[in-house]
Amino acid sequence: MDGENDFKYRRITIIGLGLIGGSLGQSLKLNSPHLEIVGVDKESVIEKAISCGAIDRGTTVLQKGVKDSDIIVIATPVQVILKMLSEIKPYLKKGCLITDTGSTKTEIMKEAEKVFTDEFDFIGGHPIAGSEKEGITSANPDLFKNKPYLLIPKKRNSPSAKLKLSTLINSICAIEMDIGIKEHDELLALISHLPHLIAVIMTNMFGSWSAEKNKEDYLKIGGNYFQEMTRVATSPFSIWKDIFETNSTNITDFLLKLEKLLAAARKKITDNPDLLEEDFRTAKFFKEKMLEAKKDLLNNFLNRYRKE
């Protein structure tokens, strides 16, 4: 595709070699072996990242890790990203592109606009891919395949900034999508942050209820539906703490709306369960539209990829 020659023989630094950072490194090495991937993390993590093919070399020293790199990807929890932006600035080469993989964007983009001048490009990034698993040992080079990758550029970037990141996203077979800051955080509150909280609450309800009944055997009964609904409940709080801190307004707004909807559903069940039929019919309509939209997104991406 256009721009690939501009992307060859470049160095990329990934700060944070967890599930996302490690998977990104593996995917880049698999699909763009000419790239040099440098990792920044703890020594024990770096060793595992090298052995699993996520990076070529690594360091625990931030200055060494970002030196002479063309692209810096910060794949850490959100609060760490916020601190990292100003910490890396003195060591960046002119023309460097910085991006992140954070799950919230308002605070990150605000900090990026403040820290980075025209000398450095910044594009906020968020791959809509993940797992309840964590760490470099769970890295998967196919994690981003056919998954949306949301982008939010700062107000002033060089003309080549978007091309660089687009090339990277195409390389890992993700689907690039532009989105506004406000829309991103509202959307993620609804489709990710609130559902995750519900999974935690439902898991705790089931576990507590089983304990109250003194029937741990009940824990064996959770069927596929419940298991899938609560799959993400094992995710570490260390990551989610930052998300709830930096997107609290949107999450609590949707929580209030959910409380009203649950109260309405409870009343319908009490008064006349037949009243829920309209809710089921509406949900079927919207779910089918969601599935069709995802299918169209994938088909458009594949058609564009074939042309390129």
Side-chain angles (χ1 to χ4, degrees), residues 89 92-98 115-122 154 156-157:
K89 184 181 178 181
L92 302 176
K93 76 173 187 179
K94 186 176 179 180
C96 178
L97 167 65
I98 305 97
V115 171
F116 297 119
T117 61
D118 294 349
E119 189 177 2
F120 304 109
D121 296 321
F122 182 90
K154 73 178 177 73
R156 293 191 299 273
N157 279 328

Side-chain angles (χ1 to χ4, degrees), residues 190-204:
L190 183 56
I191 69 169
S192 175
H193 307 160
L194 182 57
H196 195 100
L197 182 60
I198 292 170
V200 170
I201 292 170
M202 291 301 299
T203 301
N204 289 336

Side-chain angles (χ1 to χ4, degrees), residues 1-240:
M1 63 175 286
D2 292 341
E4 281 189 342
N5 289 334
D6 295 332
F7 200 60
K8 286 183 178 180
Y9 310 114
R10 297 294 181 110
R11 178 181 297 166
I12 296 177
T13 295
I14 302 174
I15 303 172
L17 298 169
L19 172 68
I20 297 297
S23 297
L24 178 62
Q26 284 184 337
S27 185
L28 287 170
K29 290 306 297 180
L30 182 67
N31 297 301
S32 303
H34 59 276
L35 294 173
E36 181 188 14
I37 311 296
V38 180
V40 179
D41 211 310
K42 299 175 184 176
E43 191 63 47
S44 58
V45 176
I46 289 170
E47 292 173 3
K48 293 175 183 175
I50 293 174
S51 65
C52 74
I55 60 174
D56 296 297
R57 60 183 178 86
T59 178
T60 60
V61 182
L62 192 61
Q63 180 177 357
K64 292 181 179 179
V66 301
K67 183 181 179 182
D68 295 329
S69 279
D70 300 286
I71 297 180
I72 311 293
V73 182
I74 310 175
T76 66
V78 175
Q79 294 289 8
V80 179
I81 294 171
L82 291 171
K83 296 176 183 177
M84 198 67 67
L85 297 181
S86 57
E87 288 183 9
I88 65 174
K89 184 181 178 181
Y91 313 122
L92 302 176
K93 76 173 187 179
K94 186 176 179 180
C96 178
L97 167 65
I98 305 97
T99 186
D100 74 297
T101 61
S103 293
T104 65
K105 281 290 172 279
T106 301
E107 295 301 320
I108 290 173
M109 295 308 299
K110 188 186 300 181
E111 184 69 9
E113 293 285 358
K114 183 173 69 175
V115 171
F116 297 119
T117 61
D118 294 349
E119 189 177 2
F120 304 109
D121 296 321
F122 182 90
I123 300 177
H126 184 195
I128 308 300
S131 167
E132 72 280 10
K133 300 175 182 178
E134 60 176 319
I136 187 65
T137 55
S138 300
N140 175 6
D142 293 325
L143 186 68
F144 310 102
K145 191 172 184 180
N146 300 331
K147 301 290 179 58
Y149 201 116
L150 308 183
L151 297 182
I152 306 170
K154 73 178 177 73
K155 293 176 183 177
R156 293 191 299 273
N157 279 328
S158 67
S160 64
K162 189 73 180 295
L163 177 59
K164 286 181 183 178
L165 195 51
S166 295
T167 306
L168 184 151
I169 292 170
N170 275 315
S171 177
I172 62 176
C173 301
I175 303 172
E176 177 185 330
M177 295 182 68
D178 295 327
I179 191 170
I181 302 172
K182 185 174 184 291
E183 290 76 13
H184 174 277
D185 284 4
E186 288 180 353
L187 174 66
L188 267 294
L190 183 56
I191 69 169
S192 175
H193 307 160
L194 182 57
H196 195 100
L197 182 60
I198 292 170
V200 170
I201 292 170
M202 291 301 299
T203 301
N204 289 336
M205 282 182 66
F206 183 36
S208 298
W209 180 80
S210 300
E212 288 169 6
K213 297 290 184 181
N214 198 25
K215 293 285 188 180
E216 286 198 8
D217 281 354
Y218 288 172
L219 298 177
K220 303 175 184 177
I221 301 175
N224 289 340
Y225 181 83
F226 186 81
Q227 295 293 350
E228 181 58 27
M229 181 181 178
T230 60
R231 175 182 57 82
V232 297
T234 58
S235 297
F237 179 66
S238 58
I239 294 175
W240 284 92

Side-chain angles (χ1 to χ4, degrees), residues 244-262:
F244 287 116
E245 285 179 347
T246 56
N247 203 21
S248 60
T249 299
N250 289 316
I251 296 169
T252 53
D253 283 350
F254 281 120
L255 263 175
L256 289 172
K257 292 178 182 178
L258 178 61
E259 288 171 9
K260 292 178 181 178
L261 291 171
L262 288 174

